[in-house]
Amino acid sequence: MKILLNNNEIIGYSILVYFWSNEYGGNILFIDELHIKEKSRNKGIGAYFLNCMEKMDNIVALQLETNPSNKKVFDYYTRLGFEVLGNTQLIKTV
């Protein structure tokens, strides 16, 4: 987990999961959650955070998910260079 601070005030957080991908030949950083407080949004903080994560050692890709029906967020991530994969995610709760 990463806590986002501005002048010692918490303005957001991110939950991060690292895993090895044979397909991509290296470590992927999955951004399970990225939350920025409403008053701190639209100031470039999310883009700055993602850019910093991209520069981490031993990372070959960043991965995240969002619902395409959330057009504002979906468009934001695609503007930052994220691409839609052809895979379909499946889950089974137990």
Side-chain angles (χ1 to χ4, degrees):
M1 176 182 262
K2 296 278 187 191
I3 302 294
L4 302 154
L5 298 171
N6 184 23
N7 295 323
N8 292 323
E9 176 189 354
I10 295 174
I11 59 169
Y13 69 90
S14 182
I15 298 173
L16 307 171
V17 179
Y18 299 87
F19 66 94
W20 175 265
S21 169
N22 285 333
E23 183 178 355
Y24 289 95
N27 291 314
I28 291 183
L29 177 59
F30 180 74
I31 301 158
D32 185 50
E33 235 176 271
L34 175 56
H35 175 78
I36 298 171
K37 287 183 177 180
E38 194 168 338
K39 70 178 185 176
S40 297
R41 293 178 188 165
N42 300 312
K43 297 180 180 179
I45 295 166
Y48 178 77
F49 174 77
L50 292 169
N51 187 45
C52 289
M53 296 299 98
E54 196 173 297
K55 293 178 181 175
M56 292 179 65
D57 288 338
N58 299 320
I59 299 295
V60 298
L62 297 178
Q63 182 181 2
L64 52 76
E65 60 185 46
T66 188
N67 191 320
S69 67
N70 188 345
K71 188 156 175 49
K72 183 176 180 181
V73 172
F74 184 83
D75 290 347
Y76 174 73
Y77 287 134
T78 55
R79 278 195 314 273
L80 292 177
F82 287 87
E83 299 175 14
V84 177
L85 293 177
N87 299 340
T88 298
Q89 185 176 11
L90 305 171
I91 190 168
K92 179 179 180 181
T93 58
V94 292

